[in-house]
Amino acid sequence: MLDLKNIRTVYFLGIGGIGMSALARYFQFQGCKVYGYDKIASALTNALEKEGIVIRFDEDITKIPETTDLVVLTPAIPNDNTLLQYFIKNNTPIKKRAEVLGLIAREGLNIAVAGTHGKTTVTTLISHLLKQSIVDCTAFLGGISKNYNTNLLLSTYSKYIVAEADEYDRSFLQLFPHIAIITSIDADHLDIYGSKASLEDSFCKFALQVQEKGYLIVNMKINIPFNLDKNAKVYQYSLQDEKADFYASGIQMNKGLYSFDFHYPDGVITDLRLGLPGLFNVENAVAALAATWLCKVQSSELRKALLTFSGVKRRFDYRFKSPECVYIDDYAHHPEELKTCISSIRNLYPGKKIMGIFQPHLFSRTRDFAEEFARSLELLDKIILLDIYPAREKPIEGITSQFLLDKIEKKEKKLCTKENVLDEIENNLPEIIVTLGAGDIDRLVEPIVNMLNKRINTQDHEN
């Protein structure tokens, strides 16, 4: 097994990824020299460069450091990448991102959050609740925490290591957690798993990796028996089902935010207030509170931290608010995520017209869930589809955004290029705008915000 204590120089292939960048920051904190490559610059690579990490955006092998102890690889890097081939020929140790995260997580008590939806918010909320308590934690997040403006939290003394457990490519099977949370298991990544049954089997294997005397916390909506063959405890959580071990009651909304009572085995913490909108986030909060209760965080600490949680960038992320228009950005890229996000907006703004700008992610996902995507997108009043973001895939014949658009039974729908989105919004300014997708649609966020600021402020000035 690779001994991380002997690593002095690390090279990241695909350093701009959210999981890769957290690891890069971790190794730099450990005193290593960190280098990286990515195809294009982004906000994340810009931030890493400002932190002193050297990043290249070309495959020039002459710029590689003379000695490299470890190469960390993301699945998005193709096998014919010149840098990857160079490291292979020179017998440099190469590890997948998930393998390296697994090695780090074994150095403490790992809290791993898995699930096809909700895991990033739950991971980040658990980390915030621990960070704001005397327990503390180190955390590898699958998004940028708005409280800390980073995807890596560090502790010099806590034994807890919180990590998002990614089911893609079976990455989470590299983790052997003390506490595991499973938020949801919906069919996804069928390009990897082939079937939902195979995906469920992988989650069962993940559950079996919970350590002796550890804990598994499962969403009650998951109808799979998790029979752990170790001396580990299985708990269920729910939004408000009293049969669960952890649940909420007395849920009330005031000014867009929720208050509730949190029930745990043999007790209750009353009148908690969550600093995030969306009823689905109350369910996420129940999962996070359950994990931190098991870590013996005090109720007074939980109460204060829950209210101050600001959420995760690109997860139901308010980017603009005015009486005339509200703009929300969300990472939703699966039909269930779209349905949850759009329904939550409807509940918060009943009667308002919603324009959704959606960038489908992956040709295979668009093909496999076309009907489900269409039904979820029909919850919008106006639908704008961007071209499919290919990510790691090559085009599939006949699978385009037009293919998806044709399945949507709604009059107000159209295809649009990224270059024309701003004009489309400005010429038809809706009451609610939501951008949706996991590709590079995030590059439209700041331009939309700037346009709305200019447009709305000009109108206010004229009035």
Side-chain angles (χ1 to χ4, degrees), residues 29-59:
F29 173 76
Q30 296 296 327
C32 297
K33 292 181 180 178
V34 179
Y35 299 83
Y37 157 82
D38 216 303
K39 195 172 181 180
I40 55 173
S42 65
L44 254 178
T45 59
N46 292 341
L48 294 177
E49 287 181 307
K50 287 179 182 176
E51 293 165 24
I53 294 173
V54 178
I55 302 176
R56 302 285 306 181
F57 300 98
D58 57 59
E59 299 178 31

Side-chain angles (χ1 to χ4, degrees), residues 124-197:
T124 309
L125 180 50
I126 288 172
S127 304
H128 177 68
L129 295 176
L130 291 174
K131 204 74 187 164
Q132 296 302 310
S133 77
I134 196 170
V135 177
D136 203 4
C137 69
T138 290
F140 296 85
L141 310 177
I144 302 298
S145 164
K146 295 178 73 173
N147 286 90
Y148 308 97
N149 196 34
T150 185
N151 54 351
L152 174 70
L153 304 180
L154 295 161
S155 173
T156 56
Y157 69 87
S158 178
K159 60 186 177 181
Y160 288 107
I161 299 175
V162 186
E164 183 165 323
D166 187 4
E167 74 278 4
Y168 175 72
D169 200 27
R170 297 177 174 84
S171 294
F172 59 178
L173 297 184
Q174 299 290 335
L175 297 171
F176 296 83
H178 172 65
I179 300 175
I181 300 97
I182 301 178
T183 64
S184 52
I185 307 177
D186 290 308
D188 199 4
H189 302 301
L190 299 186
D191 55 323
I192 297 294
Y193 289 99
S195 67
K196 186 180 180 183

Side-chain angles (χ1 to χ4, degrees), residues 121 124 144-147 275-276 308-313 315:
T121 298
T124 309
I144 302 298
S145 164
K146 295 178 73 173
N147 286 90
L276 283 184
T308 60
F309 183 57
S310 301
V312 187
K313 288 183 179 179
R315 273 39 172 213

Side-chain angles (χ1 to χ4, degrees), residues 207 214-218 225-228 232-236 245-246:
Y215 306 95
L216 174 65
I217 306 168
V218 183
F226 291 96
N227 300 313
L228 305 189
K233 174 75 173 175
V234 180
Y235 288 107
Q236 289 184 310
D245 300 292
F246 302 95

Side-chain angles (χ1 to χ4, degrees), residues 347-394:
N347 290 335
L348 286 168
Y349 301 99
K352 300 255 184 176
K353 288 194 173 183
I354 308 171
M355 173 195 282
I357 303 156
F358 176 53
Q359 182 186 46
H361 187 262
L362 297 178
F363 296 104
S364 60
R365 185 183 279 126
T366 305
R367 176 199 61 199
D368 294 340
F369 302 107
E371 295 295 338
E372 293 87 343
F373 273 123
R375 302 296 81 80
S376 294
L377 291 168
E378 285 166 2
L379 297 172
L380 297 162
D381 295 296
K382 182 168 184 176
I383 303 140
I384 295 175
L385 286 187
L386 305 180
D387 288 336
I388 296 173
Y389 186 78
R392 56 191 175 267
E393 291 185 335
K394 292 182 179 179

Side-chain angles (χ1 to χ4, degrees), residues 8 124 244 276 342 427:
R8 296 290 175 266
T124 309
L276 283 184
I342 298 165
N427 295 333

